[in-house]
Amino acid sequence: MELRQLSYFKAVAEELHFGRAAARVRIAQPALSNHVMALEKELGCALFIRSTRRVELTRAGETFYDRCVRILSEVDLTTELTRAAGGSRMRQIKIGTVYPATIGMLPTFLAKIARKFPDVKIHIAAGNTGEIIRNLESGQINLGFIRPVENIGALRFFSIASERYYLAVGHGNPLAERDEITIDDLSDQKLIAFSRQNLSFSERYFQEKFEAYDLVKNIAYSCDDTWSLVSLVSAGLGIGFVPEWTRELPNRAFELKKVRGIDFRIGLGVAWNREDPTAARDDIVDIARSLARPGR
């Protein structure tokens, strides 16, 4: 079993498409298929369910994928450790981010890295906090911008910001002209709320508020992400609570308003794996610390 076979398998497992995977690893699709079939023959079991319409991982494939990610991450980590011990400079930084929550600070962070390490390649991967933590633990990324969590395991974390939630109100809504809004003023408004399978702390807070003030019946739309929510608000279809990073959005068609009776903040911080020699270097961490906002 060769490392390149593991890399080819990983590409197919993540793309679930042989053509896209072949383009990703830059080999011909027939050659990629041959490598995967050789790997399956060596393991004695099928890793993929192939059909004319889709490619899926088998149960054995899912197990192999988890181990494959760890093996390849360990190889990358060993390479970085060796380079660090030999005094070599880092070649690539992989950053996970809960974008677009970092829309106001990520460009500054990347610009500072580029100035200090002009030859380093930077890769950005967007995801939710849980995904970023798992990728930090497996070594797939070096640094992560995440929301605070109760248990971060063996990772290290520091807070860089705390942002308030505001009411997003379309320009055409009468509430946009109000200097003061109370939660009772929402009783005649159509609300837009988040509706996810697993509610976050912020979503639970607003759900409880809506229930306490008999506003659940006012929820006309629900969505999975902030982009969708502000799009609905901008279209004049309702109002909804959003984090203050939305103030940074260009050409926004809504106002952010404080609501008396609503006082909720959400944190944002940086996490890294203490065993990762790239992310643990003081200069990279110091650059991230420099983003901390006063009074966070």
Side-chain angles (χ1 to χ4, degrees):
M1 189 181 303
E2 302 175 5
L3 283 178
R4 64 174 178 172
Q5 285 182 313
L6 299 184
S7 297
Y8 295 158
F9 163 79
K10 180 173 177 287
V12 178
E14 291 174 350
E15 298 291 344
L16 292 179
H17 189 281
F18 277 85
R20 291 195 298 268
R24 173 172 156 181
V25 297
R26 299 179 181 179
I27 66 169
Q29 182 175 333
L32 175 65
S33 298
N34 289 337
H35 279 290
V36 172
M37 286 189 291
L39 186 59
E40 289 177 316
K41 183 177 180 180
E42 182 176 349
L43 292 171
C45 60
L47 299 173
F48 296 101
I49 300 172
R50 303 164 175 83
S51 71
T52 56
R53 300 181 62 182
R54 61 192 305 180
V55 176
E56 296 178 84
L57 282 167
T58 63
R59 186 173 180 181
E62 291 175 353
T63 299
F64 190 71
Y65 173 74
D66 290 339
R67 298 300 304 168
C68 180
V69 168
R70 292 182 180 275
I71 291 169
L72 292 174
S73 296
E74 187 63 29
V75 171
D76 289 340
L77 179 59
T78 300
T79 301
E80 289 298 328
L81 282 168
T82 304
R83 286 176 179 156
S88 298
R89 297 176 65 85
M90 67 187 81
R91 296 185 179 182
Q92 183 181 48
I93 300 171
K94 292 169 285 186
I95 301 167
T97 173
V98 285
Y99 191 85
T102 54
I103 192 172
M105 64 180 62
L106 190 60
T108 301
F109 178 61
L110 298 179
K112 288 184 175 183
I113 291 178
R115 285 195 296 269
K116 192 172 184 65
F117 305 105
D119 298 327
V120 171
K121 295 181 179 179
I122 301 173
H123 176 72
I124 309 297
N128 60 44
T129 293
E131 291 169 342
I132 293 172
I133 288 175
R134 288 192 293 273
N135 288 337
L136 284 169
E137 290 173 335
S138 65
Q140 294 189 73
I141 60 176
N142 306 118
L143 208 68
F145 289 87
I146 65 172
R147 297 299 189 186
V149 293
E150 293 181 1
N151 183 10
I152 202 164
L155 302 181
R156 293 183 177 179
F157 173 86
F158 61 83
S159 178
I160 58 176
S162 177
E163 55 185 344
R164 184 188 297 273
Y165 267 71
Y166 291 92
L167 183 68
V169 182
H171 288 161
N173 191 303
L175 291 180
E177 305 299 323
R178 298 274 295 273
D179 293 328
E180 184 175 287
I181 300 174
T182 69
I183 195 167
D184 291 325
D185 293 328
L186 310 186
S187 60
D188 62 347
Q189 296 284 325
K190 289 185 177 180
L191 297 179
I192 306 169
F194 289 110
S195 178
R196 293 169 174 148
Q197 185 174 3
N198 298 308
L199 291 181
S200 68
F201 179 64
S202 59
E203 292 155 5
R204 287 196 299 270
Y205 172 86
F206 287 105
Q207 184 181 57
E208 292 170 1
K209 283 290 184 180
F210 293 158
E211 291 173 353
Y213 286 87
D214 194 29
L215 292 173
V216 174
K217 65 181 185 300
N218 291 48
I219 298 176
Y221 301 92
S222 60
C223 52
D224 291 336
D225 63 279
T226 304
W227 283 118
S228 298
L229 195 153
V230 296
S231 296
L232 293 173
V233 170
S234 298
L237 298 177
I239 59 177
F241 288 94
V242 297
E244 62 183 294
W245 64 257
T246 56
R247 197 187 302 277
E248 307 285 345
L249 294 176
N251 304 317
R252 58 184 173 89
F254 58 89
E255 300 292 330
L256 295 183
K257 295 287 184 177
K258 288 184 179 180
V259 176
R260 190 147 49 92
I262 296 291
D263 185 16
F264 184 81
R265 291 177 178 270
I266 187 168
L268 180 69
V270 172
W272 73 100
N273 192 327
R274 69 184 66 186
E275 296 181 359
D276 185 333
T278 301
R281 291 179 180 177
D282 291 342
D283 39 19
I284 296 296
V285 174
D286 285 344
I287 290 173
R289 288 187 189 277
S290 72
L291 302 174
R293 298 171 181 170
R296 64 182 183 274

